[in-house]
Amino acid sequence: VQFHPTVADILVTASNTGAAGELKLWSIDPAASTAIWQTTVASAIHSISVRGDGALVAASTSSGTCTIYDPRQPANSVVGTTAAFHAADRPTRVLWLGEKPYLLSTGLTKMRERSAALWDQRSLTRPLASLLLQPSTKPLLPLYDEDTQLAYLVEKGDSLVRWVDADPSSAKPLSELGSVSLPAQIAGCALLPKRRLKVMNGEIARVHLVVESPGAGTGASIIPVAHVAPRRSYLDFHSDLFPDTRAPLPAQTFDQWVANEDARVPRMSLDPTKAEESLASLRQARGVQTQATNASSSHTLTPDPALACSISTTTGHMDDKDKAVSCELSRSGLICTQAAELPLVPRLESTTSSTPSSVASKRTATLGAGGSGTKTTTAAEPSLEQQSMSTTRRLFSKPDHARFKYLEGFPYRPTDHFISLPDLNTRFPQENDPLRVSAKFIVFSCAGVGGQVGVVRRDSPGRVPAKLARIVHGADVVSMEFDPFDEAVLATAGTDCKLQMWRIPDSPLNDESLFELEEYIHVTADRVHQIRFHPCAKGIIAVLASDAGQQAIYVYHGLVLHFIVGRCDDGIHSFAWSPNGEQIALTTKKSKQVQVYDARTQELLSKGPSMNSIRPCRIAWLGDSQLCLAGFGPGSQRELAIYSAEDLSRQVAKAAIDIGPGVLVPIVDYDCNVIYLDDRGSRLTHAFEVVGDKLIVLPKFELAQPSLGMAALPKAHANVAKCELLRAWRLCSQAVESIGFRVPRKRPEYFQDDIFPDTVDCETPCIDAAAWIGGAAAMPRYIQLCPQGMTRLSEAPPEIVHRRVFATNEIEEADNTSAAIDAMLSRVDDNGPDAQANDSGSDWDD
């Protein structure tokens, strides 16, 4: 059900009978007992939306399409139908973008991926823009703010709220601008009317979310999520952020609407000094207009004769002013009761160096979850609002400026390094990494017979003994990886096409230490090249192997081969799992392509041109929707490129680094959108920040010895109390050096929650392996990074600025000068002119 946006006391309903649906237009007047207008729909209706001017009604159906109707035309007259972008028999939603001829639809694809599409009413054969997200069984719930042209996509059944650019005239419609995570699943949502926002605090929108409490039988809670635009000062009303908005008043009568007269809902000011006066003047004007129109119109309106029903517009004995007020109250979707105002919810703001003049350019404002709301949680456990305030995730996503331009790398103390490494293997394949690190152990490739891997404990730095604890694979090791969910399990792959899982004992290590072989897989291929563990499910591993001149990625769970992905004759440089474990991206050699596959259906989702060279190219995911490639261009020019995973036909951003022979290995910080490039054979480590469609060069880090490899731990192991973004280890010819990357901050005594949001728990599986193989979607878990006892920067008291009072200093200086002059004059007076006369000429007499 939805109220008409321009006519009072009129609403539209949708109902289903079997596999068919029905749309009806009703009057809430008690005298009207039948529908004013109705039409049948061939498929079941999932949602409806009335355009902002009230002219058209859109309905999303079970066929995956959206059908548009004009309720002023005869029944069953269809204005248009969108193409079947969403999958059939999956839940869908539709929403008009205000009064514009554009609508937004959401649904699911055949692979259960959440999808959103922006349509132009004048051309419905294909969407203007589309957006694909992680798989699920429930659709996105769309909300639209007409004033800022932002759309909020709420993931029902999940814990994430995204906001996207819903301006059809922008360069990239539906581009994601940010997201906020809540501690529980979302069951419903609603957008607060503009008149109830804290405009003097920069609040441009507030989404109320119904979330389910984690504990059984504890009910649910309503949590307000505020969208705040950061400004230097909130003392004045920012008219560029808050244009005049729709007033809670009708635009026309039913007769005028049926006659197709053009009318717009009046707009009122949001300036607190003018809002009440503006609304009162509009009410008075609309009341006079209603009286004039009612005097000249009949009380009984006859709709479509085929329906043989009538509607009365009388409203009892109320006067015209009361009629206007009742019209306002009848539109419950646009007004709130006069309850106490909610306190300003906590927010985390990202600083900006400029103040754009339009809200469209300010869409990188931040969100914060918390505040008060209607809740039904019991007193036995903390309220969900308190949990959300403690676990609120800073909305980092695409800021319009570089935030880490002062990033600096630093080496730890020499006592934290591992020195005098014996028998280091300097001929490890360039396509793999000779150094791997877990929370407890560090392993590196050693030269010797049988494929040896040296093992040291991470908590025992210093000189490495000559009789080092070693794992012997049985053949030359070509790739090795730690199990992300078990820091003591190491997987090694050798030239004998064998994949072995070794358990490292949790005890002091020496040359007599025994390593238990937990699992053994014989890959049926000619050669194994790379191995990668699944990022979400334990026990699943992908193996890049070549067989009979073809290369492919074999996905194993235990000893069972489940999927073969990306089979090709061109050769594969490297591959990588997406962070949600749904897709696999790879780069080919001869054809010079980058490709993205669905890991379970083996379907090619997208492909495009890769680096313009057959030399080694490394690939990594930058979140769930972007890829980064580090490789070579023409003439040994080393380059870094960013791609959109949905459209690989062109590069989103590209940066030329330098000319050199070394392979660049990317290490990605998903939370900060920072890419670190380990320069093999060089003393440098490059860093870039992804800002929208740009790559910002960050300061380089240089050490004395060339790098042979680099490995990093998840963000949870960084020293966030010291503003450390990345903790890593660097392999040199004789040592493993402990290094870090940090950013200087103005108030380092507080936890910098604007650059350290709640991060994905990479060390705990979030889905069972059998469930993932069966098609289930992984739901990532988030952990807090705030150290115990530290106060968040967003909750810190305002900084006290000590200012020098220059006027007081000037007075003191003037007093000192006058005192010096008085002292000098007093000495002259003491000597006197007679004393000067007596002294004169005495030297000449001598």
Side-chain angles (χ1 to χ4, degrees), residues 213 221 371 375 377-379 381-389:
S213 299
S221 299
K375 61 179 182 179
T377 57
T378 61
E381 65 177 10
S383 67
L384 198 56
E385 287 86 348
Q386 295 175 352
Q387 296 179 22
S388 65
M389 290 176 63

Side-chain angles (χ1 to χ4, degrees), residues 71-147:
R72 293 172 293 193
Q73 299 297 326
N76 300 324
S77 59
V78 177
V79 176
T81 302
T82 64
F85 179 79
H86 308 291
D89 298 325
R90 303 284 172 86
T92 57
R93 297 291 186 272
V94 66
L95 181 67
W96 283 99
L97 300 188
E99 301 178 354
K100 297 180 179 180
Y102 301 97
L103 52 89
L104 176 67
S105 65
T106 62
L108 302 175
T109 65
K110 294 181 179 179
M111 299 306 301
R112 301 180 185 175
E113 293 175 316
R114 283 174 167 153
S115 58
L118 183 63
W119 303 88
D120 187 347
Q121 171 200 333
R122 296 156 294 190
S123 178
L124 299 175
T125 56
R126 58 179 300 179
L128 293 177
S130 61
L131 178 67
L132 295 179
L133 301 174
Q134 75 279 2
S136 178
T137 58
K138 299 181 180 179
L140 297 170
L141 303 180
L143 300 173
Y144 178 68
D145 185 355
E146 185 177 1
D147 297 337

Side-chain angles (χ1 to χ4, degrees), residues 298-348:
S298 119
H299 288 280
T300 302
L301 302 177
T302 304
D304 188 358
L307 298 178
C309 64
S310 62
I311 177 174
S312 174
T313 60
T314 58
T315 56
H317 300 285
M318 293 187 296
D319 57 14
D320 295 330
K321 183 176 181 180
D322 292 336
K323 291 179 184 178
V325 175
S326 68
C327 293
E328 174 192 352
L329 295 177
S330 67
R331 300 178 62 202
S332 59
L334 292 178
I335 188 171
C336 296
T337 58
Q338 297 292 338
E341 287 288 337
L342 290 171
L344 180 66
V345 296
R347 64 191 186 278
L348 301 176

Side-chain angles (χ1 to χ4, degrees), residues 746-747 798-804:
K746 189 176 182 181
R747 306 176 73 182
E799 185 179 8
I800 300 176
V801 180
H802 299 281
R803 301 179 181 275
R804 295 184 59 186

Side-chain angles (χ1 to χ4, degrees), residues 127-192:
L128 293 177
S130 61
L131 178 67
L132 295 179
L133 301 174
Q134 75 279 2
S136 178
T137 58
K138 299 181 180 179
L140 297 170
L141 303 180
L143 300 173
Y144 178 68
D145 185 355
E146 185 177 1
D147 297 337
T148 59
Q149 301 187 62
L150 291 175
Y152 299 88
L153 302 179
V154 181
E155 298 185 355
K156 186 176 181 181
D158 206 338
S159 60
L160 207 63
V161 179
R162 307 172 188 269
W163 76 90
V164 298
D165 183 0
D167 184 5
S169 62
S170 64
K172 295 180 180 179
L174 293 188
S175 59
E176 185 179 342
L177 301 176
S179 61
V180 64
S181 179
L182 296 177
Q185 292 184 353
I186 300 173
C189 61
L191 198 63
L192 187 70

Side-chain angles (χ1 to χ4, degrees), residues 355-576:
T355 304
S357 59
S358 64
V359 178
S361 62
K362 203 63 181 177
R363 295 190 182 96
T364 55
T366 57
L367 281 176
S372 61
T374 304
K375 61 179 182 179
T376 58
T377 57
T378 61
E381 65 177 10
S383 67
L384 198 56
E385 287 86 348
Q386 295 175 352
Q387 296 179 22
S388 65
M389 290 176 63
S390 63
T391 60
T392 296
R393 211 173 157 222
R394 181 192 55 82
L395 233 198
F396 170 77
S397 53
K398 293 178 174 123
D400 56 356
H401 62 286
R403 302 186 304 156
F404 304 102
K405 59 182 178 181
Y406 298 113
L407 177 75
E408 59 178 1
F410 66 96
Y412 275 74
R413 297 175 302 176
T415 54
D416 294 327
H417 300 338
F418 297 83
I419 60 176
S420 300
L421 301 182
D423 304 327
L424 188 63
N425 182 12
T426 59
R427 295 186 177 183
F428 202 77
Q430 286 191 347
E431 60 190 17
N432 290 309
D433 301 308
L435 177 70
R436 281 291 176 233
V437 179
S438 74
K440 289 185 177 180
F441 303 100
I442 297 177
V443 298
F444 49 88
S445 178
C446 293
V449 179
Q452 302 180 16
V453 178
V455 185
V456 295
R457 294 185 61 89
R458 195 169 68 85
D459 57 1
S460 302
R463 183 180 297 274
V464 177
K467 294 184 178 181
L468 175 70
R470 307 189 187 202
I471 295 175
V472 180
H473 177 86
D476 290 343
V477 175
V478 296
S479 182
M480 55 187 181
E481 291 283 340
F482 271 108
D483 188 338
F485 310 120
D486 192 339
E487 67 274 6
V489 173
L490 177 71
T492 59
T495 56
D496 55 356
C497 294
K498 295 178 181 179
L499 181 62
Q500 300 175 354
M501 307 288 186
W502 304 89
R503 177 163 292 277
I504 304 174
D506 191 8
S507 61
L509 299 176
N510 52 48
D511 59 339
E512 297 180 357
S513 297
L514 298 178
F515 300 94
E516 180 184 356
L517 182 61
E518 285 198 340
E519 194 171 335
Y520 169 87
I521 301 174
H522 183 77
V523 182
T524 307
D526 295 335
R527 182 179 176 86
V528 173
H529 302 277
Q530 298 174 22
I531 57 175
R532 299 287 186 269
F533 277 97
H534 194 280
C536 301
K538 181 174 176 57
I540 296 179
I541 189 169
V543 182
L544 172 60
S546 57
D547 185 27
Q550 289 185 333
Q551 285 192 355
I553 299 170
Y554 299 80
V555 180
Y556 285 89
H557 178 222
L559 301 177
V560 181
L561 174 63
H562 288 275
F563 311 111
I564 300 178
V565 182
R567 188 186 298 273
C568 66
D569 301 326
D570 298 336
I572 298 175
H573 280 301
S574 64
F575 75 98

